[in-house]
Amino acid sequence: MKVTVVGAGAVGASCAEYIAIKNFASEVMLIDIKEGFAEGKAMDLMQCASLNGFDTKITGVTNDYSKTAGSDVAVITSGIPRKPGMTREELIGINAGIVKSVATSLIEHSPNVIIIVVSNPMDTMAYLAHKATGLPKNRIIGMGGALDSARFKFRLAEALGCPASDVDGMVIGGHSDTGMVPLIGKAARNSVKVSEFLSEERMQQVVEDTKVGGATLTKLLGTSAWYAPGAAVSAMVQAIALDSKKMFPCSALLDGEYGLTDISIGVPCIIGKNGIEKIVEIELSEAEKAKIEESAEGVKKTNALLN
Ligand SMILES: NC(=O)c1ccc[n+]([C@@H]2O[C@H](COP(=O)([O-])OP(=O)(O)OC[C@H]3O[C@@H](n4cnc5c(N)ncnc54)[C@H](O)[C@@H]3O)[C@@H](O)[C@H]2O)c1
Ligand SMILES: O=C(O)C[C@H](O)C(=O)O
């Protein structure tokens, strides 16, 4: 499998590194607009091959899309990250132009590619990629929910005083500070609902900490996070490569599912060799439904800025 990663910055390089370490792809092509940058990152990563024991060939190129030809999967991480105090939505002015041109360049050289959109504001960038390319719905996947769910599990594990591997939980809705919907009522520790262990107040704290997970890290780091984002994307690429039919919350273009149309937003999806193979409609409580509707309103407001 050939994977192109557009943007060799913090998230793109982290994603390439995890893909290589997991050793399921034959080739990763890193591409960046900054002269020599992707080449340098690729060389640095390749010098880890004998140390970390991987056979994936990582190559870097400056803005030459002919080198991405024949990609099975492409990950778009190109664009600017937010600084402390900013929202993801504030990035739209610069990132929309980048994502639009990158998505069209990718399919010119890889007509069968499955695109994973990471650049923020992610739900709107995934929607834009659909509009710009006209690709079938299964072939554009927004990454946000996989990361947000990992952060939810981290916060749940912290509250429960247990390893994250004991915890199951999912975040749906928009990938924004206010739009995320952590499904706390369905979260469990080894099949036992977390409400059996945590007070209502502690559960609400977990929900709030999860929603501002990206902002909290941005404040600490001075720019946004990259390790967990890179790991989340690599897990999705792996599910495509291995056709594993794993379920991740992904930003998918909806056509009536969850009562929503003409919007990309986080919902549970089955990921396999065809990208989004199924959107799973789970039963939501009235409160959860109201939160998803509110979240969708927020995403639609950001989408309107594209016009
Ligand atoms: N969806 C998510 O969960 C999630 C998680 C983390 C970061 N992000 C987003 O991912 C994006 C990248 O974050 P980062 O921390 O890696 O930023 P970064 O600045 O480290 O890297 C971005 C890279 O994109 C490159 N670039 C810019 N325009 C380009 C173009 N037209 N073609 C190719 N490359 C181009 C830059 O040169 C830079 O190397 C940001 O928009 C950030 O908000 C999203
Ligand atoms: O927080 C950000 O701006 C980056 C990303 O969306 C994240 O959640 O880490």
Side-chain angles (χ1 to χ4, degrees), residues 37-270:
F37 192 59
E39 289 86 337
K41 287 283 182 102
M43 194 185 290
D44 194 7
L45 285 168
M46 278 309 281
Q47 290 169 1
C48 302
S50 63
L51 297 164
N52 286 334
F54 61 77
D55 302 323
T56 303
K57 184 178 171 220
I58 309 169
T59 317
V61 66
T62 304
N63 222 22
D64 177 2
Y65 280 84
S66 69
K67 296 288 193 316
T68 69
S71 294
D72 302 288
V73 179
V75 179
I76 303 182
T77 75
S78 46
I80 55 164
R82 63 174 158 167
K83 294 255 180 289
M86 289 173 77
T87 65
R88 296 176 180 88
E89 288 74 13
E90 287 175 68
L91 306 173
I92 191 171
I94 292 178
N95 288 355
I98 294 174
V99 169
K100 192 173 177 184
S101 76
V102 164
T104 44
S105 302
L106 282 170
I107 55 166
E108 264 169 40
H109 294 87
S110 302
N112 300 318
V113 73
I114 294 170
I115 295 179
I116 301 180
V117 179
V118 179
S119 312
N120 274 315
M122 183 278 295
D123 298 288
T124 296
M125 294 301 100
Y127 180 76
L128 171 64
H130 277 291
K131 297 289 163 196
T133 63
L135 284 185
K137 290 190 296 179
N138 58 306
R139 283 176 46 203
I140 295 184
I141 316 172
M143 191 294 286
L147 170 65
D148 301 332
S149 300
R151 288 181 175 151
F152 186 34
K153 289 179 221 176
F154 164 78
R155 288 301 186 188
L156 283 166
E158 185 181 60
L160 291 160
C162 72
S165 55
D166 255 15
V167 175
D168 189 22
M170 186 162 62
V171 178
I172 60 173
H175 179 63
S176 70
D177 297 343
T178 52
M180 283 177 213
V181 184
L183 296 175
I184 189 78
K186 295 176 172 49
R189 177 180 185 182
N190 293 342
S191 306
V192 183
K193 284 197 170 175
V194 296
S195 54
E196 300 232 0
F197 306 108
L198 301 176
S199 66
E200 188 57 39
E201 196 185 9
R202 190 69 184 90
M203 288 195 294
Q204 277 320 304
Q205 188 62 52
V206 165
V207 166
E208 291 315 314
D209 289 346
T210 300
K211 288 168 72 175
V212 296
T216 302
L217 284 162
T218 302
K219 195 170 168 202
L220 290 168
L221 298 167
T223 184
S224 56
W226 56 89
Y227 294 119
V233 187
S234 75
M236 289 167 62
V237 177
Q238 187 174 20
I240 297 169
L242 304 183
D243 191 24
S244 60
K245 320 289 186 200
K246 221 171 141 55
M247 185 165 80
F248 293 96
C250 301
S251 192
L253 188 66
L254 301 185
D255 185 15
E257 298 90 348
Y258 292 92
L260 299 169
T261 41
D262 196 34
I263 183 171
S264 284
I265 193 166
V267 291
C269 296
I270 303 300

